[in-house]
Amino acid sequence: MGYYDDHSPATQQQKKSRRFMMPTLVGIILGAVLVLLALPALVQTNLLPYSITTPNDENESIDNEGTGISSEKVELDVNTQITEVVEEVTPSVVGVVNLQSQSNFWDDNQNGSEEAGVGSGVIYKQEDGEAYVVTNNHVIEGASEIEVVLSDETRVPAELIGGDVFSDLAVLKMADDDVKKVAEIGSSENLKVGEPAIAIGNPLGLQFAGSVTKGIISGKQRAIPQDFNNDGQEDWQAEVIQTDAAINPGNSGGALINIKGQLIGINSMKVAQSSVEGIGFAIPIDAAIPLIEELEQEGQVNRAFIGVEAYGLNEVPTSEWQSTLNLPEDVEGGLYIRSITQMSPASKAGLEPLDVITALDGEPVEDIIDLRKYLYEEKDPGDELEITYYRDGEQNQTTVTLGTQE
């Protein structure tokens, strides 16, 4: 006859399991009750990261199946101010294709043009059946033909009106039959560091046409050295806007806009450094507009011209200051003349090679950038310029009537 052994190992294990299950079930039930009691308070104090929604009418307060938990319908609107601004401005930003003549080595009769580079541009004016585009000078440099690619991919032949190396600006003209939008010109004078900035252009080419990047104004009136002839010497200092909106090759000539959709700068990759991230530059629109208008009307920027090849004394060993240039010890800096263009204003005023210029109209000058900035920003062709210089240890002065830079 069989019997039941209450002390068998299997029976003891079952009892232990039942003892552990009971507290667990009680804990789950108590936890659920506490959550239900606390949920209304959590919703009202906004401690929950979301709310429960139903397909009822907008802003309708509902009771979730008698639990007493109320919620409101929440809708997400992706049409933010930035998306609206970008949608409005993008049609005014175009691609600029640099086409250069290519000859066939095997057949001289088969010549054509090939794409040498692609940049960006901005349509800033439309009148009398023509549209005007501003871009970077380096984008169209060396072009035999230029095409403008509109936002709908329409290609329009364009004519180069004029370009300027120092400002890196160029103006194009084309038929306006397919133009749908002209950029609204803003102001860069009152920009504040930290305010939003949006860059629109064609980074890496037309396959990414109309790309948009967003950042802030990181700095104003930054002076960036420029070396135009790649001789290792600074030829100019570009005064630019700094932004952390991504500006890559192909963005050059594109638009930098503010949160109102107004054009505040012309993006330039030329003044950027490829090894640095998060730093982009744009030509301030307030500085660009007078140059754009002059390029449009004259085909070039007419700058005052003196006719010297000169270098800063900081590029000359100090031992040569006295032995070669015969400078007094109290001369701390200046600009020595290496050569003079024949029949130039400097030549007519009696300046000679190895003369050392120390002041322009009484203002100290130390390098070629100081000279160019004073000539280009303070003087016009035909103006007179008083030059203080040293020759054979003696200080002299002469007056130069400035010419026009060709």
Side-chain angles (χ1 to χ4, degrees):
M1 179 177 180
Y3 65 92
Y4 176 76
D5 183 2
D6 190 48
H7 300 286
S8 67
T11 303
Q12 291 179 357
Q13 186 67 30
Q14 292 174 354
K15 288 183 177 182
K16 289 181 180 180
S17 298
R18 286 195 296 271
R19 284 199 299 270
F20 282 113
M21 288 177 62
M22 287 301 296
T24 301
L25 291 174
V26 171
I28 293 173
I29 294 171
L30 289 176
V33 172
L34 290 174
V35 169
L36 291 175
L37 292 176
L39 190 58
L42 293 173
V43 171
Q44 292 177 1
T45 56
N46 294 323
L47 292 178
L48 290 179
Y50 58 87
S51 63
I52 303 172
T53 61
T54 68
N56 293 352
D57 292 337
E58 184 177 1
N59 298 328
E60 179 184 354
S61 180
I62 62 171
D63 180 16
N64 293 294
E65 298 181 355
T67 62
I69 304 172
S70 62
S71 65
E72 291 185 355
K73 181 180 179 181
V74 176
E75 290 188 352
L76 178 62
D77 182 8
V78 297
N79 292 317
T80 65
Q81 184 176 0
I82 291 178
T83 61
E84 292 172 356
V85 164
V86 169
E87 185 177 3
E88 180 72 15
V89 175
T90 296
S92 68
V93 181
V94 299
V96 177
V97 182
N98 181 326
L99 300 172
Q100 297 186 8
S101 299
Q102 301 291 332
S103 60
N104 190 315
F105 180 79
W106 303 106
D107 187 353
D108 292 337
N109 295 322
Q110 292 184 1
N111 297 327
S113 296
E114 293 184 3
E115 185 177 300
V118 176
S120 305
V122 182
I123 302 173
Y124 70 91
K125 180 180 177 180
Q126 183 179 14
E127 68 176 19
D128 299 331
E130 293 177 320
Y132 295 81
V133 176
V134 58
T135 185
N136 285 153
N137 183 71
H138 75 267
V139 169
I140 51 82
E141 195 169 18
S144 55
E145 297 178 43
I146 300 172
E147 282 186 344
V148 168
V149 184
L150 303 179
S151 58
D152 61 2
E153 299 185 0
T154 301
R155 289 181 175 251
V156 182
E159 172 191 350
L160 173 64
I161 297 179
D164 179 56
V165 172
F166 288 93
S167 65
D168 196 25
L169 292 171
V171 172
L172 313 176
K173 181 172 67 174
M174 64 180 184
D176 71 347
D177 298 342
D178 298 299
V179 172
K180 298 179 177 63
K181 178 67 179 179
V182 174
E184 178 184 351
I185 305 298
S187 174
S188 54
E189 181 180 0
N190 298 320
L191 290 177
K192 294 182 179 180
V193 173
E195 73 171 88
I198 304 168
I200 307 177
N202 309 308
L204 306 181
L206 295 175
Q207 65 269 35
F208 299 112
S211 291
V212 178
T213 55
K214 176 180 174 294
I216 61 172
I217 300 297
S218 304
K220 305 189 300 179
Q221 297 180 331
R222 299 296 200 208
I224 307 300
Q226 299 290 283
D227 178 11
F228 299 130
N229 53 8
N230 298 316
D231 63 354
Q233 303 295 330
E234 296 178 8
D235 298 309
W236 185 244
Q237 283 188 338
E239 292 189 3
V240 293
I241 302 168
Q242 178 186 339
T243 177
D244 66 348
I247 297 175
N248 297 291
N251 273 120
S252 288
L256 186 70
I257 62 174
N258 60 19
I259 199 64
K260 298 179 180 179
Q262 298 170 329
L263 184 67
I264 58 173
I266 306 299
N267 298 327
S268 180
M269 188 62 193
K270 186 175 183 179
V271 296
Q273 298 183 22
S274 58
S275 59
V276 178
E277 294 184 3
I279 298 181
F281 298 105
I283 304 163
I285 196 63
D286 287 352
I289 287 298
L291 300 175
I292 291 171
E293 291 175 347
E294 189 167 359
L295 287 172
E296 184 183 322
Q297 296 168 7
E298 305 291 338
Q300 64 180 13
V301 176
N302 294 313
R303 292 190 170 94
F305 171 71
I306 186 174
V308 298
E309 179 189 3
Y311 296 86
L313 285 178
N314 56 359
E315 300 174 32
V316 179
T318 53
S319 60
E320 299 293 326
W321 288 24
Q322 294 182 2
S323 61
T324 303
L325 301 176
N326 300 319
L327 292 174
E329 292 184 358
D330 60 347
V331 175
E332 298 180 352
L335 191 68
Y336 84 94
I337 299 175
R338 177 177 291 182
S339 65
I340 296 180
T341 305
Q342 291 185 357
M343 302 304 295
S344 66
S347 175
K348 294 176 181 178
L351 291 173
E352 298 177 0
L354 298 185
D355 286 349
V356 176
I357 300 173
T358 57
L360 305 173
D361 289 336
E363 296 294 327
V365 59
E366 295 192 356
D367 55 31
I368 191 63
I369 294 176
D370 289 344
L371 173 62
R372 285 174 174 160
K373 278 192 171 294
Y374 192 78
L375 289 178
Y376 298 168
E377 297 176 2
E378 305 295 333
K379 295 291 184 177
D380 292 317
D383 288 352
E384 290 188 345
L385 173 67
E386 184 182 85
I387 296 179
T388 302
Y389 68 97
Y390 280 85
R391 178 184 298 167
D392 295 327
E394 299 293 329
Q395 187 183 77
N396 301 277
Q397 287 186 335
T398 186
T399 300
V400 175
T401 302
L402 299 172
T404 300
Q405 186 179 33
E406 298 296 336

